[in-house]
């Protein structure tokens, strides 16, 4: 059993928290109550960033002490939303939220994953009609191995998980969010993920 803090109690955070509890982990979900994120992070071994990406860097930088030496799993995308509320552009073009977090939190092991799909797929990948891919980006091999094990507990098959390399590779997966509004407008809000055909 691992002690996990999920920062963010929206659809993404709630979905992940429920699945991790079912997998046998001790999970704390932090809402926006003052001090809640710090308290949750302080007592956790792994922290999942499921906060809205536009404000994630500021929120998490404030938790530098609580996040030191821990794994931060970043599943958010930092985007500028269009008039319809869907992602229209990236906040960190030429970089990524994950890279910005790693730079701001040098004592924390940032791992980017699960950001190339609609939230229901994160914890139920086998419900899609074809195998999806989950990508890992991060500079620490042990942290990525720990996150890979969590993904397997969430239903991801080993062969569906691709390690892209260092944290810099997160800029590629974060840019994939720009597909999302077009797919939703074309096909509706149905669960989907990016899949690499092999």
């Amino acid at each position: 059993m691992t002690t996990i803090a999920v920062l963010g109690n929206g659809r993404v955070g709630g979905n992940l928290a429920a699945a991790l509890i079912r997998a046998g982990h001790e999970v704390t979900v932090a809402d926006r109550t003052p001090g809640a994120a710090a308290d949750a992070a302080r007592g956790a071994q792994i922290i999942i960033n499921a906060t809205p990406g536009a404000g994630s860097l500021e929120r998490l930088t404030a938790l530098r002490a609580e996040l030191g030496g821990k794994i931060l799993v970043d599943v958010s995308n930092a985007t500028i939303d269009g008039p319809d509320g869907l992602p229209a552009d990236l906040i960190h073009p030429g970089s990524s939220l994950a890279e910005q977090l790693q730079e701001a939190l040098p004592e924390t092991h940032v791992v980017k994953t699960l950001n190339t799909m609609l939230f229901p797929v994160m914890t139920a990948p086998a419900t899609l009609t074809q195998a999806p891919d989950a990508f890992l980006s991060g500079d620490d091999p042990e942290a990525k191995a720990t996150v890979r094990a969590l993904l397997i507990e969430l239903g991801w098959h080993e062969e569906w998980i691709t390690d892209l390399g260092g944290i810099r590779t997160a800029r590629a997966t974060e840019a994939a969010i720009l597909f999302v509004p077009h797919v939703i407008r074309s096909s509706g809000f149905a669960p989907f993920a990016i899949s690499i055909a092999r």
Side-chain angles (χ1 to χ4, degrees):
M1 182 184 71
T2 304
T3 305
I4 300 172
V6 177
L7 307 185
N9 63 344
R11 293 180 297 184
V12 174
N15 184 44
L16 286 168
L20 290 165
I21 289 169
R22 288 194 299 270
H25 298 288
E26 181 182 333
V27 179
T28 301
V29 179
D31 57 20
R32 295 194 181 198
T33 304
D39 290 342
R42 191 177 296 114
Q45 299 162 286
I46 297 173
I47 297 88
I48 297 177
N49 174 38
T51 65
S56 289
L57 184 59
E58 181 180 358
R59 287 189 192 99
L60 293 169
T61 299
L63 302 176
R64 181 185 300 231
E66 290 83 359
L67 295 173
K70 298 179 180 180
I71 296 172
L72 174 63
V73 183
D74 179 31
V75 304
S76 294
N77 290 300
T79 59
I80 300 167
D81 291 342
D84 57 2
L86 295 174
D89 210 343
L90 301 174
I91 289 178
H92 305 291
S95 183
S96 65
L97 173 59
E99 289 174 84
Q100 297 295 314
L101 288 169
Q102 187 61 84
E103 183 177 350
L105 303 165
E107 303 303 317
T108 302
H109 307 300
V110 179
V111 179
K112 189 79 178 193
T113 193
L114 296 180
N115 63 309
T116 56
M117 62 201 69
L118 289 193
F119 76 92
V121 181
M122 294 178 176
T123 58
T127 59
L128 297 181
T129 56
Q130 65 191 64
D133 280 89
F135 304 99
L136 293 171
S137 298
D139 293 336
D140 186 273
E142 290 184 13
K144 284 193 288 187
T146 298
V147 175
R148 179 185 290 270
L150 276 184
L151 292 181
I152 291 171
E153 290 184 328
L154 291 175
W156 290 87
H157 295 191
E158 179 73 38
E159 63 270 21
W160 298 352
I161 304 169
T162 301
D163 185 343
L164 296 179
I167 200 66
R168 184 182 169 94
T169 64
R171 64 182 63 181
T173 61
E174 288 191 27
I177 190 65
L178 298 181
F179 274 106
V180 170
H182 308 299
V183 173
I184 290 174
R185 292 185 193 109
S186 173
S187 308
F189 198 84
F192 70 88
I194 289 183
S195 178
I196 306 298
R198 294 179 176 86

